[in-house]
Amino acid sequence: MIKGLMLAGAVALAPLAVVAAPASGDHPPPFKIEHPSTQYPGEEEVDAYKHDPANAGTTPFEGDRMWKAFHEQAGVDHVVDETVDLSLADPRISDIFKSHDMVRLRRTLKEQFCYILGGGCAYSGRDMKAVHKDMGLQNADFNALVEHLQIAMDHEKIGFRDQNRFLAKLAPMQRTTVER
Amino acid sequence: MQRRLAVLLGAGMLLCATGAKADSDLRPSGKLLLTEGVSDIEGSAGGGVATWAVIGGYETRDGIGANVHATGIQLKDFQFRSWGGAVGFYDRVELSYAHQEFDTQGTGLKLGLGRGFTFSQDVYGAKVKVLGDAVYAQDSWVPQVSVGANYKKADQSAVLNFLGARDDSGVDWYVAATKVYLDQSLVLSGAVRATKANQTGLLGFGGSGNDNYHAEFEGSAALLLSKRFAVGAEYRTKPNNLGLKEDDWATVFAAFAINKTLSVTAAYVDLGEIATFKHQNGAYLSLQAGF
């Protein structure tokens, strides 16, 4: 156990030693479309990948109770848009989004939420590991996003227990999205 | 006690300010609201009278966090006070300290100890998370499990000796398991504590002809009602070394996170019979600041 603890300590400390923090003010460049997608106007074309419902990272709720609890498509659209807006305005995590295609992110997030909530959508995005690869996310980034999602769900007047049922589906994604 | 709390809060603010200057990769805070639990009376993260497996402080695995607490319990015939703090390292290791006072108030006269006679002890704690994750691993029923120890040193050794206690210091060992079952908005926690402590150590350790460790249980169940509000109940069993009757403890509590820093816990406690005085029920109030 002592060995395990030391190992855990080393793992926790390693990123601090290796990753030199960017000087403050050194923000990533803003996103620009270079190769417009033919299928999704306003989005950048992405390299081909295998479409698979499993890419959503979790299984959907059975029945349509959760879909109704989230006020169906209109509710999911509000929740996703506000979560993204709050994240873009949050200095703790806004840089993470700057060099990414926000049009595609909003669309695929709405698909993913709809799929998980039992709204019957197909999720057309990549899997969680591929999407977050090399972003260098930390638990605090993951939690900041959850805080925004909670605020957005509050504003959409989604019941607290249903919010938690949904968060229970998303929480294990910490393992695949947080890399350090 | 109020002045002590103010000093503690001041120290906490200083800690917080220092944390904010840390390297941007070292994150001083980032845990979700109430997921560090509240401070237990031994100074560690828990539910109040029960110790949990979570690590105190609002840090994640990328930082160092801390909390301070002040707790008061007014019983029918006695008053209990505790203050202290905990530092959490990388959401893995927690070091804690608590100072506890058990004030006999007017009852001290009847016990022949004198009005306001006060037993006190210092509790030093260490806790290490060994497996599982209470919050993220929602696809598994496996709880977060931690092991820990409390070194306790009581004062008034002459009186403790007279009461029949074997020792005025002791070490408790415990294993705690805690899980947030988000899909049920439920937190369940259980701990087994190997201890010789009489009334958590305030009345010394062991008794005449009885110096063995006893395995005792601490359990909590809490229902999350909103992001910042939880209600629950706790139960804690105790050994009975002194030949005085020592009852199990039971509480019902409500915890409220005022903001990301401050939380308050109020409880109704039933501590049973203490030092021959029956039905020690009362009100528990605890303030906590976490960073």
Side-chain angles (χ1 to χ4, degrees):
Chain A
M1 191 203 81
I2 303 274
K3 202 172 147 201
L5 173 60
M6 284 170 64
L7 184 70
V11 169
L13 287 167
L16 305 178
V18 184
V19 182
S24 51
D26 183 12
H27 296 298
F31 176 77
K32 243 172 52 197
I33 293 180
E34 281 164 9
H35 311 93
S37 162
T38 46
Q39 191 179 0
Y40 300 107
E43 293 181 19
E44 173 79 4
E45 190 67 62
V46 296
D47 293 339
Y49 57 90
K50 187 170 165 278
H51 286 246
D52 185 345
N55 287 356
T58 187
T59 53
F61 287 102
E62 282 174 28
D64 63 357
R65 203 195 70 76
M66 285 294 285
W67 179 240
K68 291 207 163 108
F70 272 68
H71 310 145
E72 304 183 21
Q73 193 62 55
V76 165
D77 289 351
H78 292 156
V79 168
V80 167
D81 282 329
E82 187 173 8
T83 303
V84 173
D85 291 344
L86 289 170
S87 299
L88 288 171
D90 179 349
R92 292 177 297 174
I93 56 172
S94 56
D95 276 1
I96 295 165
F97 299 93
K98 287 228 168 91
S99 53
H100 291 89
D101 184 343
M102 287 292 108
V103 177
R104 179 177 165 86
L105 176 74
R106 286 177 199 264
R107 176 179 61 78
T108 50
L109 262 183
K110 286 169 187 173
E111 285 177 4
Q112 186 186 25
F113 280 25
C114 166
Y115 170 76
I116 295 171
L117 289 164
C121 301
Y123 173 65
S124 70
R126 290 169 292 180
D127 70 79
M128 291 301 102
K129 196 170 182 67
V131 170
H132 297 89
K133 193 174 179 309
D134 298 330
M135 283 188 180
L137 297 185
Q138 294 181 300
N139 276 341
D141 302 314
F142 186 90
N143 292 351
L145 187 81
V146 173
E147 285 173 16
H148 299 321
L149 174 57
Q150 286 180 311
I151 292 170
M153 292 190 292
D154 280 347
H155 287 171
E156 185 58 28
K157 300 203 164 32
I158 292 155
F160 180 67
R161 300 194 64 152
D162 287 329
Q163 291 187 21
N164 286 346
R165 284 188 186 99
F166 184 48
L167 290 176
K169 290 277 193 187
L170 304 184
M173 295 178 189
Q174 177 265 352
R175 282 200 296 273
T176 42
T177 59
V178 174
E179 293 179 315
R180 59 183 183 127
Chain B
M1 173 153 169
Q2 272 174 348
R3 210 177 65 198
R4 270 178 183 161
L5 179 63
V7 170
L8 280 170
L9 290 180
M13 303 291 177
L14 198 69
L15 250 173
C16 188
T18 326
K21 273 191 280 184
D23 185 308
S24 62
D25 279 322
L26 235 185
R27 306 281 276 263
S29 71
K31 261 190 204 137
L32 295 167
L33 221 50
L34 283 178
T35 56
E36 63 153 346
V38 297
S39 292
D40 68 20
I41 54 166
E42 262 109 0
S44 175
V49 300
T51 297
W52 289 7
V54 296
I55 301 295
Y58 268 122
E59 89 288 357
T60 64
R61 68 187 187 194
D62 307 303
I64 296 170
N67 63 49
V68 291
H69 83 273
T71 299
I73 308 175
Q74 184 59 55
L75 301 168
K76 196 157 64 78
D77 300 301
F78 305 101
Q79 187 181 69
F80 175 91
R81 299 182 291 267
S82 136
W83 55 267
V87 182
F89 298 90
Y90 309 106
D91 198 23
R92 170 67 65 179
V93 175
E94 178 196 273
L95 299 178
S96 61
Y97 167 78
H99 179 78
Q100 300 176 341
E101 293 178 349
F102 184 72
D103 187 339
T104 59
Q105 301 189 294
T107 312
L109 273 179
K110 296 176 198 164
L111 287 166
L113 295 167
R115 178 179 292 277
F117 183 90
T118 298
F119 295 92
S120 71
Q121 71 169 344
D122 294 302
V123 181
Y124 303 87
K127 173 158 67 179
V128 181
K129 177 164 99 181
V130 289
L131 67 88
D133 187 287
V135 181
Y136 296 121
Q138 293 296 318
D139 49 351
S140 159
W141 63 268
V142 176
Q144 176 166 324
V145 177
S146 293
V147 296
N150 291 130
Y151 170 74
K152 302 172 171 183
K153 176 82 175 70
D155 72 347
Q156 311 290 5
S157 52
V159 178
L160 300 182
N161 202 19
F162 176 77
L163 285 172
R166 183 66 77 96
D167 215 334
D168 64 356
S169 69
V171 179
D172 288 357
W173 303 92
Y174 63 82
V175 180
T178 303
K179 188 81 177 185
V180 181
Y181 294 97
L182 259 186
D183 59 346
Q184 306 290 329
S185 295
L186 190 67
V187 183
L188 292 179
S189 185
V192 175
R193 179 183 293 267
T195 184
K196 300 177 183 179
N198 311 316
Q199 299 294 0
T200 79
L202 283 159
L203 298 187
F205 301 81
S208 48
N210 188 353
D211 197 34
N212 298 326
Y213 271 102
H214 299 265
E216 302 294 340
F217 173 76
E218 297 167 20
S220 311
L223 192 60
L224 304 169
L225 296 179
S226 83
K227 266 187 290 194
R228 46 184 81 247
F229 190 53
V231 293
E234 295 195 297
Y235 198 84
R236 178 168 178 161
T237 69
K238 322 250 293 312
N240 198 354
N241 298 323
L242 288 179
L244 300 166
K245 196 167 169 294
E246 181 167 344
D247 285 328
D248 296 346
W249 287 0
T251 76
V252 288
F253 68 86
F256 183 72
I258 297 162
N259 54 38
K260 197 127 196 196
T261 305
L262 287 173
S263 61
V264 56
T265 309
Y268 173 78
V269 302
D270 177 358
L271 306 189
E273 181 171 331
I274 298 178
T276 73
F277 283 76
K278 292 184 165 60
H279 308 303
Q280 294 307 312
N281 308 332
Y284 167 115
L285 189 68
S286 181
L287 283 174
Q288 181 184 331
F291 313 97

